[in-house]
Amino acid sequence: MKQESVIEFVELLKKEDGDGIVWDGAPGHRAKSVQAIGVPLIQQPAYSPELNPAARVFQYLRAEIEGHVYGTIAAKQEAVEAELAKMAAAPDRVNSLAGWAWSRQSVS
């Protein structure tokens, strides 16, 4: 991902009062221009995908979607979008999946 896209995303998060971002140490994530935006950036240790909060969200999403027969890709996409809408309507659920104590402490 290009640094410009990262900056755009982080600026959007700041406007929406995001608490912070947990991500890896990619060069675009560590850029001074990204850090200057002022959103807490929580860097994961190298080679630690098990600490990735998004992985838990995707695991939950796969559990809800897989195991069903979809007649078309569009039908499966609709099922994914419906689950994402449920998740968007239940931020506490997403927080329970991805809001680990260590990430909340890092933001504090």
Side-chain angles (χ1 to χ4, degrees), residues 10 13 18-23 35 37-42 106-108:
V10 175
L13 183 68
D19 292 332
I21 302 173
V22 178
W23 54 20
Q35 294 175 5
I37 296 170
V39 173
L41 305 174
I42 305 161
S106 295
V107 170
S108 307

Side-chain angles (χ1 to χ4, degrees), residues 1-15 20-43:
M1 181 179 282
K2 295 188 180 204
Q3 183 176 333
E4 296 80 23
S5 299
V6 173
I7 290 170
E8 184 178 326
F9 171 74
V10 175
E11 286 175 340
L12 177 64
L13 183 68
K14 184 174 183 174
K15 286 179 189 173
I21 302 173
V22 178
W23 54 20
D24 61 24
H29 298 169
R30 297 187 318 260
K32 289 183 179 169
S33 55
V34 172
Q35 294 175 5
I37 296 170
V39 173
L41 305 174
I42 305 161
Q43 187 172 335

Side-chain angles (χ1 to χ4, degrees), residues 6 18 22 29 41 44 48 58 64 70 73 77 80-81 85 101:
V6 173
V22 178
H29 298 169
L41 305 174
Q44 295 176 330
S48 57
F58 288 126
E64 296 298 313
Y70 300 94
I73 299 248
Q77 183 176 351
V80 170
E81 289 174 358

Side-chain angles (χ1 to χ4, degrees), residues 50-89:
E50 72 280 359
L51 297 178
N52 184 350
R56 297 255 327 254
V57 174
F58 288 126
Q59 182 181 16
Y60 170 80
L61 185 58
R62 276 192 298 275
E64 296 298 313
I65 299 302
E66 296 303 324
H68 302 279
V69 177
Y70 300 94
T72 64
I73 299 248
K76 187 169 186 177
Q77 183 176 351
E78 287 177 25
V80 170
E81 289 174 358
E83 283 302 320
L84 290 173
K86 288 182 201 175
M87 293 173 80

